[in-house]
Amino acid sequence: MEKAMLKLVLLAVVLVPCCSGTETIYITDDVSVSELFSLRIEPRMFNWSYEGLSEQFHYRSSLEGYPDLPSWIRYMYSTEYHSGFLYGTPPPRTADTRVPIEIIALNRMSYETKRLVLMLAVHHKPVAKHVIQMKIDNLNWVHMMDPGRIENLKNIFRNDLWPESRSDLHIIFMDSAVKLGARLPLRPQQREGVVVHLGSRAEFSGRMLDLQEEVKPLYKIASCTYKRTSVQTTFENSGFKLDWCAFRLTSSDDDITALPHHPNESHKDGDHTNLSGQHVERWDAPLKSEIPERNYSDEVAISFAIPGMIFALLLCGLTIILCFQHEKLQDDDSEYYFNYIFYICSDFLRMHKSSRHEYNMVPSNVQMVHYSPEDAHSTIKLKSLRDAPFDVEPQRISPSDSFYREGSPHISNMYMRPKPPPYKLTGNSSGSPTLNRNHADNGEM
């Protein structure tokens, strides 16, 4: 921001001394009321040569002695042509006057400034009663500034559609469609479009009236580049693609300032007639002071108050349901659980401790063998001590105590079971143990 302000200050310092000592160039141009004029501001007008820089020259235009241009004159700079354009339509009140336009040019390569005064001599001309409004989509406003294209557009109506306007057909208004409210194209390479008004005092031809009836159903659509008409080929052969939703025919008995999009400096009450001959009042734009203001504070308060009230009602309802309706809800199982939850927890803890104690008392699964020889001829006796109780000492268990005795003080394990008697050798020691055992068994039997 500071750099931009510094550049403006330096530019003003450079322009003031240079302009005071520079010779002024005067140019006179004849313009007519209700007819568009355009002037291209180029470096050669100031005896400068273009050196290929896109921003080499800077132009500032205003009404001589004033800081800005009149409301009916506009200035635009084209980066495509590296030139400035002055254009506009003089209103009837400026007839037979001279309008001085001051142009200050700056060469940014050498910081040389020059001053040019364009004297517009406005002549009186009958106002057009019948006007054609159209929107061309494939061109920009700077392209329509070419006199050759303007003549091609006029010839379409002079030679084909509106021969009655051959004598006085002229451009009334022309400006960029984006400046008049249209949207920018999606692709930067596409054209912005230009709005053009053609006017004449001649009556509309029958073909023009038929064309209006053909496109009248499209008036309810804002833009329709996909629609085609019976004269589509005529315009496309000359390089114009029209938006037929914006095509209008109007008749006016008032001055040219009654047309839409026209830069009207003063608001005057007036009337105009349409094509059917009906007399209607002309709409006049309201002043800024007459437009009512909108208070957003009330809307913000309402937007917060309504949801807050709904939330409060829901919260109150939920509180009533949980607090006051709880007494009517009876659940015996829940009441019993909550009343005796301490005892339930204590019983569970006691059972857990007792089960853990019993688990620690279980003997390990280990096979223990006791060897007890009685004499040299005795049979080796092996006895399993795995099932012996923990409270009985191993040396007190007799090898012959193989039978379970009920009520025995040293055998109290519930898992004890009777053991078979040991096998002993009887009779001839050289005999077969199996046979002796069988005879012994038979004898016992």
Side-chain angles (χ1 to χ4, degrees):
M1 188 66 180
E2 294 180 357
K3 293 183 178 180
M5 293 296 296
L6 182 59
K7 290 182 179 179
L8 291 176
V9 172
L10 292 176
L11 181 61
V13 171
V14 171
L15 286 177
V16 171
C18 293
C19 293
S20 60
T22 304
E23 182 181 358
T24 303
I25 304 173
Y26 291 92
I27 299 178
T28 302
D29 190 10
D30 294 332
V31 297
S32 300
V33 172
S34 75
E35 184 175 357
L36 179 74
F37 83 93
S38 62
L39 176 67
R40 182 173 178 176
I41 304 174
E42 300 177 306
R44 58 184 180 87
M45 297 175 61
F46 303 91
N47 297 324
W48 287 337
S49 60
Y50 180 68
E51 299 180 8
L53 299 178
S54 58
E55 301 294 337
Q56 181 178 353
F57 302 101
H58 175 77
Y59 307 102
R60 185 180 64 85
S61 59
S62 63
L63 185 65
E64 187 178 18
Y66 293 88
D68 202 358
L69 290 169
S71 60
W72 53 275
I73 300 179
R74 298 184 181 182
Y75 169 78
M76 293 182 66
Y77 183 83
S78 172
T79 56
E80 183 178 354
Y81 290 90
H82 306 290
S83 302
F85 289 87
L86 280 174
Y87 61 97
T89 303
R93 59 183 176 79
T94 60
D96 301 328
T97 60
R98 299 174 67 87
V99 181
I101 304 298
E102 181 183 34
I103 303 173
I104 304 297
L106 170 65
N107 188 347
R108 295 185 177 179
M109 289 292 296
S110 59
Y111 287 97
E112 181 184 3
T113 60
K114 291 188 177 182
R115 180 174 180 266
L116 183 145
V117 176
L118 172 64
M119 192 64 66
L120 296 178
V122 184
H123 301 284
H124 179 75
K125 184 178 181 178
V127 178
K129 293 183 178 181
H130 300 86
V131 180
I132 305 173
Q133 304 177 18
M134 67 188 75
K135 178 176 176 289
I136 304 174
D137 291 326
N138 63 326
L139 295 175
N140 289 341
W141 62 271
V142 68
H143 302 145
M144 288 301 299
M145 292 296 177
D146 185 3
R149 280 198 175 89
I150 293 179
E151 289 299 320
N152 291 338
L153 182 62
K154 291 180 180 179
N155 290 334
I156 295 176
F157 296 95
R158 290 170 180 169
N159 302 330
D160 192 2
L161 301 179
W162 196 8
E164 294 83 358
S165 64
R166 182 183 298 272
S167 59
D168 62 342
L169 185 64
H170 57 275
I171 301 290
I172 297 177
F173 174 80
M174 183 169 60
D175 206 346
S176 173
V178 174
K179 282 195 170 185
L180 300 176
R183 293 184 177 181
L184 286 170
L186 297 178
R187 298 178 182 178
Q189 298 81 7
Q190 294 179 344
R191 307 301 184 182
E192 297 179 357
V194 57
V195 176
V196 181
H197 294 176
L198 288 172
S200 175
R201 294 185 64 84
E203 297 292 336
F204 285 121
S205 63
R207 192 171 182 183
M208 291 293 296
L209 297 177
D210 294 340
L211 180 60
Q212 186 190 24
E213 294 296 327
E214 183 179 353
V215 300
K216 187 176 292 184
L218 304 177
Y219 288 172
K220 58 183 178 180
I221 307 175
S223 178
C224 50
T225 56
Y226 52 88
K227 293 293 184 179
R228 299 180 64 88
T229 60
S230 58
V231 296
Q232 185 79 22
T233 307
T234 304
F235 284 92
E236 288 184 353
N237 291 338
S238 300
F240 303 103
K241 293 183 178 180
L242 271 64
D243 184 357
W244 293 108
C245 291
F247 188 85
R248 300 285 192 279
L249 300 182
T250 59
S251 296
S252 176
D253 294 333
D254 201 0
D255 59 85
I256 199 62
T257 57
L259 297 176
H261 310 309
H262 192 277
N264 188 10
E265 186 177 8
S266 60
H267 297 274
K268 299 179 181 179
D269 296 333
D271 303 330
H272 72 280
T273 56
N274 54 15
L275 293 177
S276 59
Q278 298 177 354
H279 185 77
V280 295
E281 295 183 357
R282 189 183 68 183
W283 179 82
D284 193 10
L287 298 177
K288 184 177 180 180
S289 58
E290 299 175 355
I291 299 176
E293 296 182 356
R294 188 176 181 179
N295 189 4
Y296 291 96
S297 59
D298 297 340
E299 297 183 5
V300 173
I302 293 174
S303 62
F304 280 98
I306 294 177
M309 294 176 60
I310 295 175
F311 176 75
L313 293 175
L314 293 177
L315 184 61
C316 293
L318 183 61
T319 304
I320 293 173
I321 292 174
L322 294 179
C323 297
F324 298 96
Q325 299 295 329
H326 178 68
E327 298 178 355
K328 298 181 180 179
L329 300 177
Q330 297 294 333
D331 188 359
D332 298 336
D333 295 337
S334 299
E335 294 294 337
Y336 176 81
Y337 177 79
F338 284 108
N339 292 334
Y340 295 94
I341 187 171
F342 175 76
Y343 302 103
I344 294 173
C345 294
S346 61
D347 293 344
F348 174 78
L349 182 61
R350 185 169 59 254
M351 293 173 61
H352 181 69
K353 288 183 178 180
S354 61
S355 62
R356 184 174 59 182
H357 178 70
E358 291 179 359
Y359 175 78
N360 294 334
M361 294 298 292
V362 175
S364 61
N365 191 13
V366 178
Q367 183 73 20
M368 299 178 66
V369 179
H370 180 72
Y371 172 69
S372 57
E374 295 180 354
D375 53 10
H377 300 283
S378 64
T379 304
I380 298 174
K381 300 177 182 180
L382 299 178
K383 184 175 180 57
S384 176
L385 301 179
R386 181 184 61 181
D387 298 331
F390 289 95
D391 56 348
V392 179
E393 295 179 1
Q395 61 272 14
R396 295 179 58 184
I397 300 177
S398 175
S400 61
D401 294 340
S402 301
F403 296 97
Y404 173 73
R405 294 179 179 86
E406 185 177 359
S408 176
H410 62 277
I411 302 176
S412 61
N413 195 337
M414 61 181 297
Y415 297 102
M416 287 296 294
R417 60 183 179 178
K419 301 294 182 181
Y423 298 114
K424 297 182 180 180
L425 296 176
T426 58
N428 187 8
S429 60
S430 62
S432 174
T434 306
L435 293 176
N436 295 331
R437 184 184 64 183
N438 293 336
H439 288 300
D441 293 337
N442 294 328
E444 292 176 1
M445 294 294 291

